[in-house]
Amino acid sequence: MVLAPSMNKSLFIDISCSQIWKTNQNTCGDVFLSKRFPKERRVIAVLSDGLGSGIKANILGQMTATMLLRYVEQGRDIEKAAEVIMDTLPICRVRKISYSTFTVVDCHENGSVVIVEEGNPGFVWMRNGVHMEAEPEIIVSKKFSTRKMHRYKINMLPDDRLIFCSDGVTQAGLGSPRLKGGWQRSGLIEYSKTLLLDNPELTSKELARRITLAATYKCMDNFVKDDTSTAVLHVRTPRSVLVFTGPPFHMERDNEHSQRFIQFPGQKVICGGTTANIVSRELNRKKETTMASGDLPGISVMEGVDLVSEGILTLTRVLEYLENPPSKEIRDAAVSLASIFMENDCISFMVGAKMNQAYYDPEWPIELEIRKTVVRRIANILEEKYLKKVEIEFV
Amino acid sequence: MKKIDVEICFGTTCFVLGGSHLQELENSLDNDLKEKINIIPQNCLGLCKNENYSQAPYVKVNGQIIDRATIEKVINKIKCEINE
């Protein structure tokens, strides 16, 4: 977490993975891991496909993906790390093939990417609805002549996308009357082209979800024969949101902070009745409040602001939703705010440091945390679980 | 006759200290009373920060503050206003 007020203007790497397990299995044999390195402006991701299915495959995939990620995390060269793994992976005695296949991606925010593939289907690179071909360098294992790594060094432009998948995607429908040879990489490319031409704004999460789903629809009798995983990496101009919550410590700077808030070049959210009153007063903007619904106060409407909600209760509920997304459809301010967080890549909090004396009331529920603790916890989960960039500024 | 303004505070303090029940105010009124009032939800009336008013939840009826507001207290106040 960065404790600084400025939000950088470089590109953002939106990365996500969608998986559907093999029918009748209770876990996935494909493992996707990714980590963002904010200081280095870099994301590393691994998609590993463990041999077979179920728990055994999951353990094999986990081992491979975790080792690769750790190697690279420790500052080792990604190609060297992949080579060590390739040379080390044991061979299944029965099938005579290695225990897992993998794709490692090392992407910098300037668009330079290194991709190393061993056994997984070739990645797909889309630019403006056109598939770009990249030339690999082939590295043969020193120990196993049958093992070859494909290494690519490419430069992505803003709005380019990379699609990685396990063979569950390219082999979907294999043997069916319609697709004897399976969906194949060509099917994946055509589907992605159509999808992106129709929906150029698709998030990585949604694109990955749709591809995985489309692959499983190819399977006969809805029987998914293999774990099916799609990972999407999208380099794009970041989508940003600023959340102003809590009254500023120095009242005389209310106007300055309100001006900064309203001039923010992205979505704007106010969490807190007093904060909303300050912005309304300082900017001379009217607000209208809706009736509370259920167990959270309602929202208000103010010109130029995307969401105006109550503060601590709503933020606490947002934290709950981020930790455990609600299984049923709920419509409240916290769901709206959680959705805004999901739609944006860079999330800034401007947290007012003034304490509300009313919170010292002996009747005040003890389980309600103070604002900065909740914001910090939200920031942590947005960074760790949802791979967002988060900044907090106390004012 | 000018309608009576009933401002309900849905700020955090008021909401936590009992104000959440006030969202049921409209459903508790008979049609006659409903027609005579104008319910205005407020995101914060700012009264809980004033040491003189430390008894949330708050409702204002025609600008007059009701502390420790309940639906019953608010209805009584509305009736007083009508009778005046």
Side-chain angles (χ1 to χ4, degrees), chain B residues 3 29-37 78-79 82:
Chain B
K3 283 192 173 184
L29 299 170
D30 56 41
N31 286 337
D32 185 43
L33 276 188
K34 265 186 205 172
E35 287 168 10
K36 291 176 179 163
I37 66 161
I78 292 168
K79 284 178 178 169
I82 291 169

Side-chain angles (χ1 to χ4, degrees), chain A residues 45-47 68 77-83 86 101-106 113-120 123 137 139 148-153 164:
Chain A
V46 185
L47 177 62
L68 268 166
D77 181 65
I78 186 168
E79 296 148 54
K80 202 76 203 159
E83 207 172 336
M86 174 175 74
T101 58
F102 60 83
T103 302
V104 197
V105 187
D106 183 1
V113 188
V114 175
I115 300 148
V116 181
E117 290 169 347
E118 207 278 298
N120 273 354
F123 71 95
E137 183 187 337
I139 301 165
K148 288 174 185 146
M149 280 191 336
H150 287 187
R151 182 180 63 187
Y152 303 81
K153 288 184 176 178
F164 311 90

Side-chain angles (χ1 to χ4, degrees), chain A residues 274 276-277 287 289 291-297 300 310 312-313 356 358-359 363-365, chain B residues 8 10-13 15-17 20 22-23 39 41-46 48-49 54 68:
Chain A
T274 311
N277 288 348
K287 59 175 168 48
T289 304
M291 203 63 159
S293 58
D295 54 357
L296 273 188
S300 303
E310 177 275 342
I312 201 76
L313 301 173
N356 188 337
Y359 295 178
E363 289 180 56
W364 186 256
Chain B
I8 306 171
F10 288 118
T12 311
T13 311
F15 196 82
V16 167
L17 298 180
S20 58
L22 297 167
Q23 58 190 303
I39 295 179
Q42 294 285 5
N43 56 1
C44 183
L45 288 170
C48 59
K49 296 170 197 68
S54 55
R68 294 195 188 273

Side-chain angles (χ1 to χ4, degrees), chain A residues 144-343:
Chain A
F144 307 94
S145 58
T146 50
R147 285 187 193 170
K148 288 174 185 146
M149 280 191 336
H150 287 187
R151 182 180 63 187
Y152 303 81
K153 288 184 176 178
I154 62 169
N155 283 306
M156 292 175 77
L157 294 180
D159 266 333
D160 280 8
R161 287 175 172 89
L162 299 181
I163 301 164
F164 311 90
C165 62
S166 60
D167 58 3
V169 173
T170 48
Q171 292 181 6
L174 191 74
S176 67
R178 237 171 1 112
L179 287 168
K180 283 198 168 55
W183 201 21
Q184 300 201 356
R185 185 166 171 267
S186 56
L188 165 65
I189 292 171
E190 282 314 305
Y191 180 76
S192 306
K193 270 185 193 174
T194 314
L195 206 54
L196 287 170
L197 283 171
D198 291 344
N199 311 274
E201 294 297 315
L202 271 186
T203 60
S204 294
K205 187 178 179 181
E206 185 58 16
L207 180 57
R209 190 187 73 84
R210 291 204 199 179
I211 291 171
T212 307
L213 210 56
T216 56
Y217 286 157
K218 311 287 175 206
C219 301
M220 277 192 298
D221 306 322
N222 292 326
F223 190 94
V224 181
K225 287 183 178 174
D226 196 1
D227 297 315
T228 305
S229 305
T230 312
V232 174
L233 185 152
H234 184 193
V235 175
R236 66 171 189 224
T237 308
R239 298 168 190 166
S240 305
V241 59
L242 174 61
V243 181
F244 189 5
T245 179
F249 189 77
H250 297 289
M251 200 179 158
E252 60 275 18
R253 293 182 68 190
D254 282 355
N255 187 268
E256 175 194 330
H257 295 308
S258 301
Q259 294 290 353
R260 273 183 57 207
F261 170 73
I262 209 69
Q263 285 164 19
F264 180 78
Q267 285 194 290
K268 291 172 267 291
V269 174
I270 296 173
C271 284
T274 311
T275 319
N277 288 348
I278 289 170
V279 175
S280 168
R281 182 191 70 218
E282 296 298 326
L283 303 179
N284 197 23
R285 292 190 186 206
K286 282 186 184 164
K287 59 175 168 48
E288 273 183 33
T289 304
T290 60
M291 203 63 159
S293 58
D295 54 357
L296 273 188
I299 58 163
S300 303
V301 179
M302 192 192 298
E303 188 200 334
V305 183
D306 298 277
L307 178 69
V308 183
S309 75
E310 177 275 342
I312 201 76
L313 301 173
T314 308
L315 288 169
T316 305
R317 187 67 59 81
V318 167
L319 179 62
E320 284 173 33
Y321 290 164
L322 293 175
E323 283 169 344
N324 300 302
S327 51
K328 57 181 181 182
E329 197 176 319
I330 298 172
R331 300 178 86 177
D332 61 22
V335 165
S336 304
L337 182 51
S339 302
I340 287 177
F341 286 154
M342 292 304 103
E343 289 161 12

